[in-house]
Amino acid sequence: MSDSTRFAAFLWEVLKQQSEASSMDWLGLQGEEIQKSQASMKFFLAFGKASRYFKKEPLILSASKIHEAKSLRPGFSPESWDQLQAARTYLLLQYPSQDEAAWMKSVRQLFETADMHELKSLYAALPLMPFQEHLVARAVEGLRTNITLVFDAVALNNPFPAEHLEEAAWNQMVVKAIFMQRPLFQILDSDRRANENLAHTLVDFAHERWAAGRSVMPEAWRFVAPFLNSQRLGDIRKVIATKDPLQVEAALLACHQSPLPEAKVLLGEFPELKKEIESGSINWTSIGERFREANP
């Protein structure tokens, strides 16, 4: 069984538990016809018409299904999808990919003619598509948008960027996510892709924000933590001096994750928070979620 077949079977099983039988009948019929005809127009029409049969309501997955998704494909996070996304991705997975050139041509046309919600489905489905090495430029194109819905589909809950983007493109994505105030904790594999160039950029950004009398998104310090030095530790002390609870927690969590001995000493000056950090009750997800609640 191919990866596409396994992904499609998973999405079908999840969809049938929360969709009307008539909608699933339509989806099954369209999938069969797409496979048989191998005509791009049939695929395009079905992809567009899916909105008549499926809603933009959250796709509900049990804990076991979330685990199954990760076992099918590391980083696969359909719990962040809606039902229409899942249906459209199912149709995409039915389109024959034996001929790489034909498949790439059809998908390129679909990207270029898609509306905002169709683009959301396509970009979120990148990690399930074949020929991913040829889709990197397409992902970068999606990250250039100022449409939050589309940017999020590429950047958040999606393993594709961490796996395929070069450092410069990855760094640009993170910086743009900060400018757009997106939930950074939903950028997958952030710790593995942290790098000195990004840390340098974010420290400079922090200085600019402070000079303008503005604060810095607390999650940004996650990307600086592995590259703390004595000079940057001064920036961490400045964050702590704000006495803003989220900012302080982020600064101390950065100290916890830093290999710098002086950072460990600074963390030790806050024994209660140190204990919460070491127990895992304070982490980047908890900080990000609370920041998002305070800044909807």
Side-chain angles (χ1 to χ4, degrees), residues 46-82:
F47 195 88
K49 288 182 179 179
S51 59
R52 301 181 187 179
Y53 299 89
F54 294 90
K55 302 174 182 178
K56 300 186 187 77
E57 294 181 359
L59 193 65
I60 301 171
L61 278 77
S62 65
S64 63
K65 281 296 178 186
I66 292 174
H67 177 75
E68 183 181 344
K70 301 292 189 293
S71 66
L72 281 173
R73 204 287 188 204
F76 180 28
S77 305
E79 66 271 20
S80 63
W81 290 14
D82 60 43

Tab-separated table of all heavy atoms in Angstrom, residues 46-82:
chain	number	residue	atom	x	y	z
A	46	ALA	N	-13.926	18.496	-8.773
A	46	ALA	CA	-14.257	17.867	-7.497
A	46	ALA	C	-13.639	18.638	-6.333
A	46	ALA	O	-14.273	18.842	-5.289
A	46	ALA	CB	-13.777	16.416	-7.487
A	47	PHE	N	-12.413	19.093	-6.518
A	47	PHE	CA	-11.717	19.847	-5.475
A	47	PHE	C	-12.504	21.111	-5.122
A	47	PHE	O	-12.662	21.457	-3.949
A	47	PHE	CB	-10.314	20.211	-5.968
A	47	PHE	CG	-9.379	20.659	-4.878
A	47	PHE	CD1	-8.614	19.737	-4.174
A	47	PHE	CD2	-9.247	22.006	-4.575
A	47	PHE	CE1	-7.731	20.151	-3.174
A	47	PHE	CE2	-8.367	22.424	-3.584
A	47	PHE	CZ	-7.617	21.506	-2.878
A	48	GLY	N	-13.022	21.788	-6.151
A	48	GLY	CA	-13.804	22.998	-5.918
A	48	GLY	C	-15.169	22.721	-5.326
A	48	GLY	O	-15.639	23.451	-4.451
A	49	LYS	N	-15.831	21.656	-5.785
A	49	LYS	CA	-17.188	21.352	-5.336
A	49	LYS	C	-17.234	20.756	-3.925
A	49	LYS	O	-18.307	20.655	-3.335
A	49	LYS	CB	-17.848	20.375	-6.311
A	49	LYS	CG	-18.229	20.992	-7.650
A	49	LYS	CD	-18.915	19.967	-8.537
A	49	LYS	CE	-19.324	20.568	-9.870
A	49	LYS	NZ	-19.968	19.552	-10.756
A	50	ALA	N	-16.104	20.372	-3.390
A	50	ALA	CA	-16.091	19.743	-2.057
A	50	ALA	C	-16.718	20.632	-0.996
A	50	ALA	O	-17.279	20.140	-0.005
A	50	ALA	CB	-14.653	19.382	-1.669
A	51	SER	N	-16.666	21.959	-1.200
A	51	SER	CA	-17.234	22.882	-0.206
A	51	SER	C	-18.746	22.773	-0.114
A	51	SER	O	-19.350	23.242	0.853
A	51	SER	CB	-16.841	24.322	-0.534
A	51	SER	OG	-17.296	24.691	-1.826
A	52	ARG	N	-19.393	22.151	-1.115
A	52	ARG	CA	-20.837	21.952	-1.070
A	52	ARG	C	-21.217	20.781	-0.167
A	52	ARG	O	-22.371	20.672	0.260
A	52	ARG	CB	-21.378	21.678	-2.481
A	52	ARG	CG	-21.110	22.777	-3.497
A	52	ARG	CD	-21.706	22.393	-4.841
A	52	ARG	NE	-21.345	23.343	-5.887
A	52	ARG	CZ	-21.717	23.222	-7.164
A	52	ARG	NH1	-22.473	22.184	-7.529
A	52	ARG	NH2	-21.337	24.117	-8.060
A	53	TYR	N	-20.260	19.929	0.126
A	53	TYR	CA	-20.547	18.694	0.855
A	53	TYR	C	-19.878	18.622	2.229
A	53	TYR	O	-20.311	17.834	3.081
A	53	TYR	CB	-20.104	17.487	0.014
A	53	TYR	CG	-20.828	17.391	-1.301
A	53	TYR	CD1	-20.342	18.028	-2.451
A	53	TYR	CD2	-22.020	16.677	-1.406
A	53	TYR	CE1	-21.007	17.948	-3.658
A	53	TYR	CE2	-22.699	16.588	-2.613
A	53	TYR	CZ	-22.189	17.235	-3.736
A	53	TYR	OH	-22.875	17.159	-4.932
A	54	PHE	N	-18.846	19.432	2.435
A	54	PHE	CA	-18.131	19.378	3.712
A	54	PHE	C	-17.976	20.784	4.281
A	54	PHE	O	-17.838	21.755	3.539
A	54	PHE	CB	-16.759	18.708	3.524
A	54	PHE	CG	-16.855	17.269	3.147
A	54	PHE	CD1	-16.910	16.900	1.796
A	54	PHE	CD2	-16.925	16.275	4.112
A	54	PHE	CE1	-17.027	15.564	1.431
A	54	PHE	CE2	-17.035	14.944	3.755
A	54	PHE	CZ	-17.092	14.589	2.411
A	55	LYS	N	-17.982	20.859	5.599
A	55	LYS	CA	-17.980	22.152	6.293
A	55	LYS	C	-16.585	22.528	6.770
A	55	LYS	O	-15.702	21.689	6.899
A	55	LYS	CB	-18.934	22.079	7.494
A	55	LYS	CG	-20.357	21.708	7.126
A	55	LYS	CD	-21.211	21.510	8.368
A	55	LYS	CE	-22.628	21.079	8.007
A	55	LYS	NZ	-23.447	20.833	9.228
A	56	LYS	N	-16.436	23.814	7.074
A	56	LYS	CA	-15.175	24.305	7.631
A	56	LYS	C	-15.187	24.203	9.159
A	56	LYS	O	-14.737	25.111	9.855
A	56	LYS	CB	-14.924	25.745	7.199
A	56	LYS	CG	-14.819	25.966	5.700
A	56	LYS	CD	-14.425	27.403	5.401
A	56	LYS	CE	-14.481	27.704	3.910
A	56	LYS	NZ	-15.877	27.904	3.459
A	57	GLU	N	-15.705	23.104	9.648
A	57	GLU	CA	-15.728	22.853	11.077
A	57	GLU	C	-14.519	22.008	11.461
A	57	GLU	O	-14.025	21.220	10.656
A	57	GLU	CB	-17.019	22.138	11.476
A	57	GLU	CG	-18.259	23.004	11.272
A	57	GLU	CD	-19.530	22.291	11.704
A	57	GLU	OE1	-19.430	21.117	12.145
A	57	GLU	OE2	-20.612	22.904	11.601
A	58	PRO	N	-14.022	22.175	12.690
A	58	PRO	CA	-12.812	21.447	13.088
A	58	PRO	C	-12.934	19.942	12.887
A	58	PRO	O	-13.985	19.343	13.149
A	58	PRO	CB	-12.667	21.799	14.570
A	58	PRO	CG	-13.365	23.104	14.724
A	58	PRO	CD	-14.521	23.053	13.769
A	59	LEU	N	-11.867	19.352	12.420
A	59	LEU	CA	-11.784	17.904	12.299
A	59	LEU	C	-11.510	17.351	13.702
A	59	LEU	O	-10.511	17.710	14.329
A	59	LEU	CB	-10.663	17.525	11.340
A	59	LEU	CG	-10.600	16.078	10.837
A	59	LEU	CD1	-11.828	15.768	9.984
A	59	LEU	CD2	-9.329	15.866	10.020
A	60	ILE	N	-12.393	16.527	14.193
A	60	ILE	CA	-12.279	16.028	15.565
A	60	ILE	C	-11.579	14.676	15.553
A	60	ILE	O	-12.029	13.731	14.907
A	60	ILE	CB	-13.671	15.901	16.212
A	60	ILE	CG1	-14.363	17.272	16.228
A	60	ILE	CG2	-13.550	15.363	17.629
A	60	ILE	CD1	-15.823	17.210	16.655
A	61	LEU	N	-10.477	14.598	16.281
A	61	LEU	CA	-9.708	13.364	16.360
A	61	LEU	C	-9.540	12.947	17.817
A	61	LEU	O	-9.261	13.780	18.679
A	61	LEU	CB	-8.323	13.528	15.735
A	61	LEU	CG	-8.213	13.400	14.219
A	61	LEU	CD1	-8.695	14.652	13.529
A	61	LEU	CD2	-6.773	13.107	13.810
A	62	SER	N	-9.676	11.669	18.066
A	62	SER	CA	-9.391	11.133	19.397
A	62	SER	C	-7.883	11.103	19.610
A	62	SER	O	-7.093	11.253	18.663
A	62	SER	CB	-9.961	9.721	19.526
A	62	SER	OG	-9.294	8.845	18.620
A	63	ALA	N	-7.480	10.884	20.855
A	63	ALA	CA	-6.048	10.803	21.157
A	63	ALA	C	-5.391	9.671	20.369
A	63	ALA	O	-4.254	9.805	19.894
A	63	ALA	CB	-5.841	10.602	22.655
A	64	SER	N	-6.111	8.574	20.216
A	64	SER	CA	-5.536	7.442	19.481
A	64	SER	C	-5.375	7.769	17.996
A	64	SER	O	-4.402	7.340	17.347
A	64	SER	CB	-6.415	6.199	19.647
A	64	SER	OG	-7.702	6.412	19.095
A	65	LYS	N	-6.313	8.544	17.448
A	65	LYS	CA	-6.212	8.936	16.046
A	65	LYS	C	-5.070	9.934	15.823
A	65	LYS	O	-4.378	9.894	14.787
A	65	LYS	CB	-7.540	9.535	15.551
A	65	LYS	CG	-8.593	8.478	15.207
A	65	LYS	CD	-8.114	7.637	14.046
A	65	LYS	CE	-9.096	6.544	13.684
A	65	LYS	NZ	-8.570	5.638	12.637
A	66	ILE	N	-4.882	10.826	16.784
A	66	ILE	CA	-3.760	11.759	16.683
A	66	ILE	C	-2.444	10.982	16.686
A	66	ILE	O	-1.533	11.260	15.908
A	66	ILE	CB	-3.804	12.774	17.845
A	66	ILE	CG1	-5.028	13.698	17.682
A	66	ILE	CG2	-2.520	13.597	17.885
A	66	ILE	CD1	-5.244	14.633	18.859
A	67	HIS	N	-2.379	9.982	17.553
A	67	HIS	CA	-1.176	9.141	17.610
A	67	HIS	C	-1.000	8.368	16.302
A	67	HIS	O	0.126	8.237	15.795
A	67	HIS	CB	-1.288	8.168	18.783
A	67	HIS	CG	-0.134	7.213	18.886
A	67	HIS	ND1	1.111	7.587	19.352
A	67	HIS	CD2	-0.025	5.886	18.548
A	67	HIS	CE1	1.927	6.555	19.318
A	67	HIS	NE2	1.268	5.508	18.831
A	68	GLU	N	-2.100	7.874	15.755
A	68	GLU	CA	-2.028	7.132	14.490
A	68	GLU	C	-1.530	8.024	13.362
A	68	GLU	O	-0.730	7.592	12.522
A	68	GLU	CB	-3.404	6.568	14.141
A	68	GLU	CG	-3.422	5.725	12.879
A	68	GLU	CD	-4.810	5.201	12.537
A	68	GLU	OE1	-5.700	5.225	13.414
A	68	GLU	OE2	-5.002	4.785	11.378
A	69	ALA	N	-1.992	9.276	13.355
A	69	ALA	CA	-1.550	10.215	12.320
A	69	ALA	C	-0.042	10.404	12.379
A	69	ALA	O	0.647	10.388	11.353
A	69	ALA	CB	-2.260	11.555	12.492
A	70	LYS	N	0.484	10.549	13.591
A	70	LYS	CA	1.931	10.741	13.754
A	70	LYS	C	2.709	9.490	13.349
A	70	LYS	O	3.846	9.587	12.870
A	70	LYS	CB	2.252	11.095	15.208
A	70	LYS	CG	1.573	12.359	15.720
A	70	LYS	CD	2.106	13.601	15.060
A	70	LYS	CE	1.577	14.871	15.737
A	70	LYS	NZ	0.129	15.076	15.559
A	71	SER	N	2.110	8.333	13.545
A	71	SER	CA	2.791	7.097	13.163
A	71	SER	C	2.775	6.909	11.645
A	71	SER	O	3.693	6.310	11.072
A	71	SER	CB	2.140	5.888	13.846
A	71	SER	OG	0.818	5.682	13.384
A	72	LEU	N	1.733	7.430	10.991
A	72	LEU	CA	1.665	7.365	9.536
A	72	LEU	C	2.713	8.262	8.894
A	72	LEU	O	3.338	7.904	7.891
A	72	LEU	CB	0.279	7.802	9.053
A	72	LEU	CG	-0.854	6.793	9.143
A	72	LEU	CD1	-2.164	7.464	8.782
A	72	LEU	CD2	-0.599	5.601	8.240
A	73	ARG	N	2.889	9.460	9.522
A	73	ARG	CA	3.795	10.440	8.943
A	73	ARG	C	4.229	11.381	10.072
A	73	ARG	O	3.420	12.148	10.585
A	73	ARG	CB	3.056	11.229	7.869
A	73	ARG	CG	3.901	11.883	6.792
A	73	ARG	CD	4.649	13.061	7.291
A	73	ARG	NE	5.308	13.790	6.203
A	73	ARG	CZ	6.360	14.549	6.388
A	73	ARG	NH1	6.913	14.670	7.598
A	73	ARG	NH2	6.892	15.199	5.379
A	74	PRO	N	5.492	11.315	10.519
A	74	PRO	CA	5.940	12.192	11.605
A	74	PRO	C	5.598	13.650	11.328
A	74	PRO	O	5.850	14.166	10.243
A	74	PRO	CB	7.455	11.971	11.630
A	74	PRO	CG	7.636	10.586	11.100
A	74	PRO	CD	6.582	10.429	10.040
A	75	GLY	N	4.978	14.285	12.313
A	75	GLY	CA	4.596	15.685	12.171
A	75	GLY	C	3.230	15.904	11.564
A	75	GLY	O	2.714	17.030	11.569
A	76	PHE	N	2.597	14.861	11.044
A	76	PHE	CA	1.257	14.983	10.459
A	76	PHE	C	0.286	15.381	11.571
A	76	PHE	O	0.110	14.657	12.543
A	76	PHE	CB	0.867	13.649	9.823
A	76	PHE	CG	-0.489	13.616	9.174
A	76	PHE	CD1	-1.075	14.746	8.641
A	76	PHE	CD2	-1.176	12.398	9.074
A	76	PHE	CE1	-2.324	14.693	8.029
A	76	PHE	CE2	-2.425	12.331	8.461
A	76	PHE	CZ	-2.991	13.483	7.947
A	77	SER	N	-0.348	16.554	11.430
A	77	SER	CA	-1.180	17.115	12.499
A	77	SER	C	-2.580	17.463	12.001
A	77	SER	O	-2.986	18.629	12.000
A	77	SER	CB	-0.503	18.369	13.079
A	77	SER	OG	0.810	18.097	13.514
A	78	PRO	N	-3.372	16.483	11.583
A	78	PRO	CA	-4.710	16.792	11.065
A	78	PRO	C	-5.665	17.308	12.130
A	78	PRO	O	-6.755	17.793	11.796
A	78	PRO	CB	-5.187	15.445	10.500
A	78	PRO	CG	-4.428	14.429	11.290
A	78	PRO	CD	-3.090	15.037	11.543
A	79	GLU	N	-5.275	17.235	13.417
A	79	GLU	CA	-6.143	17.784	14.458
A	79	GLU	C	-6.263	19.301	14.335
A	79	GLU	O	-7.165	19.912	14.947
A	79	GLU	CB	-5.628	17.400	15.849
A	79	GLU	CG	-4.291	18.003	16.252
A	79	GLU	CD	-3.107	17.152	15.835
A	79	GLU	OE1	-3.243	16.310	14.924
A	79	GLU	OE2	-2.028	17.341	16.424
A	80	SER	N	-5.390	19.921	13.565
A	80	SER	CA	-5.474	21.363	13.337
A	80	SER	C	-6.259	21.689	12.062
A	80	SER	O	-6.433	22.865	11.727
A	80	SER	CB	-4.067	21.969	13.235
A	80	SER	OG	-3.369	21.445	12.110
A	81	TRP	N	-6.741	20.674	11.358
A	81	TRP	CA	-7.457	20.865	10.105
A	81	TRP	C	-8.955	21.029	10.339
A	81	TRP	O	-9.469	20.763	11.431
A	81	TRP	CB	-7.253	19.649	9.189
A	81	TRP	CG	-5.873	19.496	8.639
A	81	TRP	CD1	-4.724	20.132	9.032
A	81	TRP	CD2	-5.489	18.612	7.569
A	81	TRP	NE1	-3.654	19.711	8.279
A	81	TRP	CE2	-4.088	18.778	7.382
A	81	TRP	CE3	-6.170	17.712	6.773
A	81	TRP	CZ2	-3.385	18.068	6.410
A	81	TRP	CZ3	-5.477	17.006	5.805
A	81	TRP	CH2	-4.097	17.182	5.632
A	82	ASP	N	-9.665	21.409	9.262
A	82	ASP	CA	-11.123	21.349	9.284
A	82	ASP	C	-11.581	20.222	8.352
A	82	ASP	O	-10.778	19.615	7.638
A	82	ASP	CB	-11.757	22.699	8.917
A	82	ASP	CG	-11.372	23.202	7.529
A	82	ASP	OD1	-11.363	22.388	6.579
A	82	ASP	OD2	-11.110	24.407	7.379
